[in-house]
Amino acid sequence: MADDYSGTNYLPEYASYNWTGGPSNFDGLTTNAVGGDSRLENLNKWYQSGDSAYIIVASAMVFVMVPGLGFLYSGLARRKSALSLMFTAMASYSVITFQWYFWGYSLTFSDNKANGFIGDLHHFGLKNTLGQPSPGSPLVSTLLYSFYQMQFCAVTAAIQVGAVAERGRILPFLVWTFCWATIVYNPIACWAWNANGWGFVYGVMDYAGGGPVEITSGMSVLAYSLVLGKRQEKMMLNFRPHNVSFILLGTVFLWFGWLGFNGGSSFGANLRAVMASWNTNLTAALASMTWVLLDWRLARKLSMVGWCSGAISGLVAATPASGYLDTWGSVALGIVTGVLCNFGTKVKYWIRIDDSMDVFSEHGLAGMIGLMFNALLGVDYVTGLDGVNTGTGVGGWPIGNYRQFYIQLAYVVACTGYSFVVSALLAYAINYIPGLRLRASEEAELLGMDDDQLGEFAYDYVEVRRDYLAWTPATDGMGTDPDIPQENRHGIGEHQTMIKSGEYGDSSSGASAPETAVHHRQQHAQGDRHGIAAEDSLREKRAGANHDRGEPDLEAAKEK
């Protein structure tokens, strides 16, 4: 810390908020270079136990956002791909936990004064990371700060799971996620939050991650979706979210976690944390109401999905702004975000990219709006509520800092361009690696990602079995007739034609083959494995009974 405590009769045992800055003079920590040595001194005495407890709880709250995203995306998708999205969200958390421990934290927050783009490996494997004051705030230790920041990276990765919805393979996405965290998230987070990052030095106001979390996730999903290609339109007939209850459950998990996400970014149990929580609620509430009203004007119906979409866009916009705006500013931010993000869902049609979960409009665009509002409505008296930044004069137009607008704009442009270009190049590169083709086959898309990628299902039946029972006559016994041709078990004509002819498009991605390429081969049996096995068993029994009675084997005759 640069604060001057000379002339103050202060001992670390009396740590409090009686002055501006951290609760103690950390220059007295004799083992800072190695992160502190508990064999020589009590490292806990430098921190308020309430601050540490609050950030530990906030970290757990942020973690809840990961399964929340799994539920949200699962509900928005079709039933036959529901579980794969939940699995991918949780698997991405495992990947990021290791990546952050391995070198992610070091690349983001190491004290590399010679490089404002990315850190070095001084903290590789969390070396030299223990009790010294964190690079984000003197109120918490580096060990706790690294754990809290890991949750941010993990949530960003989970947001991007929406890119693989209903057509992407899981393993290549997880490989991409590890590499993406290293060359996209870590550098951009370094720009914003590392004291040597160019954005931090330039004066960027990004409270909790409008650049690293929101813009990066929105643009990276757009890039990945571009490489992956669109879902098959012939399989999108009568498409709708399969479980609105899951969408609401996921949104509630996200809102709960976001209070730890934004409130915890004050890095202490202080008034700035309370203000950030208030602003988070206000922005989300106003954005959700605005979104619902805009949808109502078209259908004259209220929409639960619309409310959830608006709430999420508001939570996103509050991420960079909740620690800088007063409450009246958050009301304005919520209304503007609800309007712009609602219309922003149309962008994917203009640019012809299948952003299936609207991640760009609800995360990327909302993050940009929140960052620009920091310049328009940011006030220094909110910034100083944490007791550390008192008197720093950080704010925007209301305090006469008009240059903040182009500082924020330059930062938005840099995050947008870098994350999109690098994410797209990385996706193209991984797509060419043998065994890591990003897209599943058209047959897999028909069956659903649960059947193709997991072999498990979110429910006790899959979409194709429900389709089969709905389109075949009732029979005695099992309620199925194994002699009905596979192509007649589907109510959608395009599915029938594809199964009967054995023709399907190569949808691996635009990077490896033209979308119009058509291949010919025998389709695998359609349906779940247990149902297929039961049908085979029944067919064999029928053939045996016919043979005993001396009757011809009709099934064998059909095959001939």
Side-chain angles (χ1 to χ4, degrees), residues 66-76 85-86 89 243 245-251 253:
V66 176
L69 286 160
F71 277 109
L72 174 70
Y73 291 157
S74 174
L76 287 168
L85 291 169
M86 294 182 181
N243 193 326
S245 299
F246 272 14
I247 298 173
L248 175 59
L249 180 64
T251 302
F253 277 13

Side-chain angles (χ1 to χ4, degrees), residues 255 258-259 262 275-285 314-315 318 322:
W255 196 318
W258 234 298
L259 294 176
N262 291 348
M275 179 63 79
S277 298
W278 254 115
N279 285 337
T280 300
N281 261 31
L282 283 170
T283 308
L315 292 166
S322 57

Side-chain angles (χ1 to χ4, degrees), residues 25 51 115 132 168 172 207 236 256-257 276 280 289 299 356 410 439 505 528:
N25 183 355
D51 290 339
N115 188 347
Q132 75 271 43
Y207 176 65
M236 298 294 292
F256 174 78
T280 300
M289 289 190 289
S356 52
R439 180 154 185 162
D528 65 81

Side-chain angles (χ1 to χ4, degrees), residues 110-296:
S110 61
D111 185 19
N112 186 1
K113 295 181 174 61
N115 188 347
F117 179 79
I118 195 170
D120 55 28
L121 296 179
H122 178 69
H123 296 290
F124 177 80
L126 291 186
K127 291 190 306 179
N128 309 312
T129 305
L130 199 58
Q132 75 271 43
S134 75
S137 172
L139 302 181
V140 294
S141 67
T142 298
L143 187 64
L144 177 54
Y145 183 77
S146 63
F147 182 71
Y148 183 66
Q149 286 291 346
M150 179 198 73
Q151 310 296 342
F152 278 48
C153 185
V155 168
T156 310
I159 292 172
Q160 297 177 154
V161 170
V164 301
E166 303 191 323
R167 66 205 191 277
R169 297 175 63 219
I170 295 175
L171 180 59
F173 174 79
L174 295 178
V175 173
W176 179 86
T177 296
F178 184 93
C179 300
W180 164 88
T182 302
I183 64 175
V184 178
Y185 182 89
N186 294 154
I188 294 180
C190 177
W191 302 352
W193 294 324
N194 191 314
N196 301 304
W198 70 261
F200 188 94
V201 174
Y202 192 35
V204 167
M205 295 169 61
D206 189 352
Y207 176 65
V213 178
E214 309 303 352
I215 292 179
T216 297
S217 61
M219 300 309 301
S220 296
V221 166
L222 212 59
Y224 197 95
S225 300
L226 172 66
V227 178
L228 198 61
K230 297 181 180 180
R231 289 169 290 180
Q232 297 295 325
E233 292 184 4
K234 61 187 177 184
M235 300 184 193
M236 298 294 292
L237 302 178
N238 196 30
F239 173 81
R240 64 190 185 278
H242 96 275
N243 193 326
V244 179
S245 299
F246 272 14
I247 298 173
L248 175 59
L249 180 64
T251 302
V252 170
F253 277 13
L254 287 172
W255 196 318
F256 174 78
W258 234 298
L259 294 176
F261 199 97
N262 291 348
S265 291
S266 66
F267 301 109
N270 50 56
L271 286 173
R272 195 180 188 192
V274 180
M275 179 63 79
S277 298
W278 254 115
N279 285 337
T280 300
N281 261 31
L282 283 170
T283 308
L286 270 296
S288 63
M289 289 190 289
T290 303
W291 194 297
V292 169
L293 289 174
L294 289 173
D295 283 355
W296 181 86

Side-chain angles (χ1 to χ4, degrees), residues 376-387:
L376 299 176
L377 300 177
V379 287
D380 54 351
Y381 60 83
V382 171
T383 308
L385 287 175
D386 58 4

Side-chain angles (χ1 to χ4, degrees), residues 46-104:
W46 304 99
Y47 308 103
Q48 293 276 26
S49 58
D51 290 339
S52 297
Y54 175 56
I55 301 306
I56 291 172
V57 172
S59 300
M61 292 172 67
V62 176
F63 162 74
V64 171
M65 296 173 69
V66 176
L69 286 160
F71 277 109
L72 174 70
Y73 291 157
S74 174
L76 287 168
R78 285 173 290 188
R79 182 177 289 107
K80 60 185 178 181
S81 297
L83 188 63
S84 65
L85 291 169
M86 294 182 181
F87 173 86
T88 309
M90 300 312 301
S92 69
Y93 185 83
S94 299
V95 170
I96 293 300
T97 297
F98 174 72
Q99 193 274 348
W100 194 255
Y101 161 79
F102 186 66
W103 60 24

